[in-house]
Amino acid sequence: MWKDLIIKENTINAVNGGEQRRRRQIVHKLIFARLKRNIKYIALITAILILAVRPASRDRVIFLDVGQGDCCLVQAASGDTYLFDCGSSSRSSVGKYVLLPCLKYYGISELDAVFVSHPDTDHMNGILELLEFAEKNYIEVKQLVLPAVENGAKLEQFGELITAASDNKTESTDGRDDNKSEEKAGENRRSTIDGVADNVDAGTYKQIRLAYLAAGESWESGNAKFLCLHPERDYSSDNANAYSLCVFTDFGSFRLLLTGDVEGEGEKALTEALAERDISDVTILKVAHHGSRNSTSSEFLEQIQPKVAIISCGENNTYGHPHEETLERLEAVGTSAYRTDQCGAVIVETKNDDVRLRGYVWSK
């Protein structure tokens, strides 16, 4: 059954959606009865209903259900839209069959930036699909943002993505980037992340700009403030999970921390960065590595004290995610956990002064 969760002033109240559904059904019956008597107003009322379903001026974060993988879509009230990871190891073509329908439903035709936390396929293969189908579906991907790891790892680990993005690269005959083409591309680019995308190692593209993001770099989108906490520039590790891109966002009404698959030395560095910047009381935590026992340590949780944790994992996955130890650590700090294998897609959005979580909860 559907449930709405309201987060306000450090409290979480579950509101059963049954009564709300009955009220909506009554309202819908009245609306359609009037429509039959006033057919000339159908177009106008339809437009109003569409606007009511897809409000444009609210912050929204959608954790899509991609099975054993990650995919998070962030819509700022300013109008900017960002995609953080998209991939799955348990379901095929999640870019085409999960991400694309979501973009169409919300009327999204521009992605101001697409972030890839690290090169594992369960975070990346849907983005490769996106780069392939975007143009034919009239979706503009303005920037592809990768973690600012050491140069050798960039091409070795992200080579396939860089190649996919470079299909639209404009170069002069001497092999350097065409400055005129770069300026022309910039005219149509309005993403507020441009300020942190100056370190462009692989060129600038007509439609897709490639950038590397490092700890300490930040940008704003309306009232929302984004800050990269990990990895440090030129970070080196044999474990790709350790250099997962971690981004903290303060929307004003709630605070979000996205962590990729960060674990081990990477999570330790992230915890230190959080402490140095005095970041605590996180509202929504995207749990790293699908709830693996090797991530989300007690020290990390004590620092951020999350109210809600979102775990993206596949139903009956072979890894046993989320592990019981991780769930126990979350419970120990008073965090409510919501799993995509049980709730489906989880939607977080602001409404007035409240932050609402919505997900489909299976009744068994």
Side-chain angles (χ1 to χ4, degrees):
M1 58 184 169
W2 284 98
K3 286 188 177 181
D4 290 344
L5 301 166
I6 303 175
I7 304 176
K8 187 176 182 181
E9 298 178 356
N10 300 324
T11 62
I12 300 179
N13 300 313
V15 180
N16 195 307
E19 180 62 26
Q20 293 182 6
R21 283 201 305 274
R22 287 191 289 273
R23 292 178 182 176
R24 285 197 295 267
Q25 289 171 354
I26 294 172
V27 172
H28 289 168
K29 288 180 180 180
L30 291 173
I31 289 174
F32 289 116
R34 290 182 181 180
L35 282 177
K36 290 180 181 179
R37 295 194 300 268
N38 301 280
I39 193 68
K40 64 180 179 179
Y41 296 117
I42 286 180
L44 176 61
I45 294 175
T46 301
I48 292 173
L49 288 173
I50 290 174
L51 288 173
V53 172
R54 299 178 178 86
S57 59
R58 64 174 61 180
D59 297 309
R60 180 185 290 119
V61 181
I62 305 171
F63 298 92
L64 289 170
D65 178 14
V66 290
Q68 187 67 15
D70 261 30
C71 186
C72 178
L73 188 67
V74 174
Q75 289 182 286
S78 64
D80 286 335
T81 302
Y82 306 113
L83 178 67
F84 291 85
D85 286 343
C86 184
S88 177
S89 61
S90 65
R91 296 170 61 180
S92 60
S93 303
V94 292
K96 180 179 180 180
Y97 295 116
V98 179
L99 175 61
L100 181 58
C102 178
L103 296 176
K104 289 185 174 181
Y105 177 81
Y106 286 104
I108 297 170
S109 60
E110 293 181 358
L111 290 170
D112 293 276
V114 173
F115 299 80
V116 183
S117 66
H118 66 296
D120 285 357
T121 57
D122 60 338
H123 290 248
M124 190 176 75
N125 55 21
I127 291 176
L128 287 168
E129 293 176 50
L130 169 66
L131 296 178
E132 183 177 343
F133 67 60
E135 185 175 357
K136 66 179 68 174
N137 285 279
Y138 306 101
I139 297 170
E140 181 183 3
V141 177
K142 294 186 176 182
Q143 297 185 75
L144 179 64
V145 183
L146 309 177
V149 294
E150 61 173 337
N151 286 330
K154 289 175 182 175
L155 288 175
E156 180 181 349
Q157 301 294 327
F158 296 100
E160 189 175 5
L161 265 179
I162 293 172
T163 299
S166 66
D167 287 344
N168 293 319
K169 185 174 182 180
T170 301
E171 294 182 334
S172 60
T173 54
D174 62 2
R176 294 177 300 171
D177 292 326
D178 187 336
N179 291 331
K180 292 183 179 179
S181 297
E182 180 177 339
E183 292 173 1
K184 184 177 181 181
E187 291 174 0
N188 297 321
R189 195 178 295 114
R190 66 176 180 84
S191 174
T192 49
I193 194 178
D194 278 348
V196 302
D198 294 331
N199 299 297
V200 182
D201 295 25
T204 301
Y205 308 91
K206 277 188 174 181
Q207 294 180 341
I208 304 176
R209 182 180 183 181
L210 179 61
Y212 296 94
L213 188 62
E217 295 178 323
S218 62
W219 73 100
E220 296 183 6
S221 177
N223 293 326
K225 297 177 176 61
F226 296 79
L227 171 64
C228 178
L229 292 169
H230 184 73
E232 295 286 341
R233 186 164 296 281
D234 298 323
Y235 188 90
S236 176
S237 176
D238 294 332
N239 180 2
N241 289 344
Y243 63 67
S244 287
L245 196 62
C246 299
V247 177
F248 170 74
T249 308
D250 189 344
F251 290 98
S253 54
F254 70 100
R255 309 170 95 191
L256 170 72
L257 181 59
L258 300 175
T259 57
D261 274 358
V262 73
E263 61 184 10
E265 63 187 79
E267 186 180 273
K268 182 179 179 181
L270 172 61
T271 305
E272 291 173 356
L274 288 160
E276 288 173 4
R277 294 178 178 274
D278 196 25
I279 296 174
S280 58
D281 297 324
V282 170
T283 318
I284 310 288
L285 167 68
K286 199 291 293 183
V287 174
H289 206 179
H290 322 289
S292 165
R293 65 169 60 91
N294 298 321
S295 64
T296 320
S297 66
S298 297
E299 293 78 10
F300 171 71
L301 291 173
E302 287 291 341
Q303 174 61 41
I304 62 173
Q305 296 289 319
K307 292 182 178 67
V308 169
I310 307 298
I311 303 174
S312 182
C313 58
E315 186 176 10
N316 299 321
N317 65 82
T318 57
Y319 305 96
H321 293 159
H323 288 145
E324 190 62 34
E325 299 96 314
T326 304
L327 295 175
E328 289 174 356
R329 289 195 292 268
L330 289 167
E331 184 179 2
V333 293
T335 304
S336 299
Y338 296 90
R339 303 162 45 171
T340 58
D341 63 330
Q342 295 178 345
C343 303
V346 179
I347 302 171
V348 184
E349 60 184 6
T350 56
K351 187 172 184 180
N352 300 322
D353 294 329
D354 295 330
V355 179
R356 295 176 179 265
L357 276 75
R358 296 188 178 188
Y360 190 75
V361 183
W362 288 100
S363 298
K364 294 185 179 180

